[in-house]
Amino acid sequence: MGLYGSDAAANGYALLMTNANADVVFVNEEFNRMINRFGVRTIVREPLHRVLGIDFNLSTQLMRDISKEGQVVEYPLELHNVVGEAVQVSCNGLATYDDRHKFIGADVSLRPFQQTPVHTHDHDHKPVTEQDRAAYHSFSVAAITTMHDLV
């Protein structure tokens, strides 16, 4: 199943597209439902960081990673809806290029993280704690996505 195929939205993926300047040029209805931030028509031409409710520098780094690497996979983000509530998502982004291989934008899919139990060594299940959420938030804000980023 591809992230950008016709089945993506049906499987809970919020989709958006940007231009090279990180202005949003398209969102699907699932995005609007997920973030409940603006009406779909008012999102177009807005900067990515405003639409997602994230820091400008984090948005810039995300776009830089997509354009440089060609894609990002399972990039953790904490978005904020219109009332400031956090939405933890996994972000997949795919760079788009023109015929001269110049970066012209990104196709992005977002999927909320599910609250799943954390497995311990003794095979007990426990819910995600506030401490776990705080650690995730710290990594997300610092744009740390792999252990390699820590060194």
Side-chain angles (χ1 to χ4, degrees):
M1 168 180 60
L3 293 180
Y4 306 106
S6 60
D7 58 349
N11 288 305
Y13 285 95
L15 304 175
L16 66 90
M17 296 175 188
T18 72
N19 62 21
N21 297 322
D23 297 322
V24 174
V25 297
F26 169 84
V27 296
N28 70 348
E29 288 294 329
E30 184 60 30
F31 177 84
N32 199 40
R33 278 191 291 279
M34 174 192 291
I35 201 73
N36 195 23
R37 190 164 179 83
F38 305 101
V40 173
R41 291 187 181 124
T42 62
I43 292 174
V44 174
R45 298 189 188 136
E46 287 292 317
L48 182 63
H49 73 279
R50 262 195 230 142
V51 171
L52 297 181
I54 63 174
D55 180 71
F56 173 79
N57 293 328
L58 181 56
S59 171
T60 300
Q61 185 62 49
L62 174 63
M63 289 297 288
R64 186 177 299 129
D65 290 348
I66 293 171
S67 68
K68 180 180 175 186
E69 302 296 326
Q71 68 178 2
V72 296
V73 179
E74 296 182 10
Y75 196 100
L77 288 174
E78 181 177 281
L79 314 183
H80 294 89
N81 67 16
V82 72
V83 294
E85 297 170 331
V87 179
Q88 306 287 334
V89 299
S90 177
C91 170
N92 293 293
L94 184 63
T96 53
Y97 300 97
D98 66 12
D99 57 350
R100 295 183 201 138
H101 202 69
K102 179 182 175 191
F103 178 71
I104 59 170
D107 296 343
V108 177
S109 70
L110 305 164
R111 185 164 181 114
F113 283 122
Q114 301 298 323
Q115 287 191 348
T116 56
V118 175
H119 298 284
T120 61
H121 295 294
D122 59 1
H123 301 291
D124 289 335
H125 300 288
K126 67 177 185 174
V128 175
T129 66
E130 286 304 311
Q131 183 178 9
D132 294 332
R133 288 184 200 286
Y136 168 78
H137 176 72
S138 297
F139 281 107
S140 177
V141 168
I144 296 170
T145 57
T146 67
M147 292 302 287
H148 178 72
D149 294 330
L150 294 173
V151 291

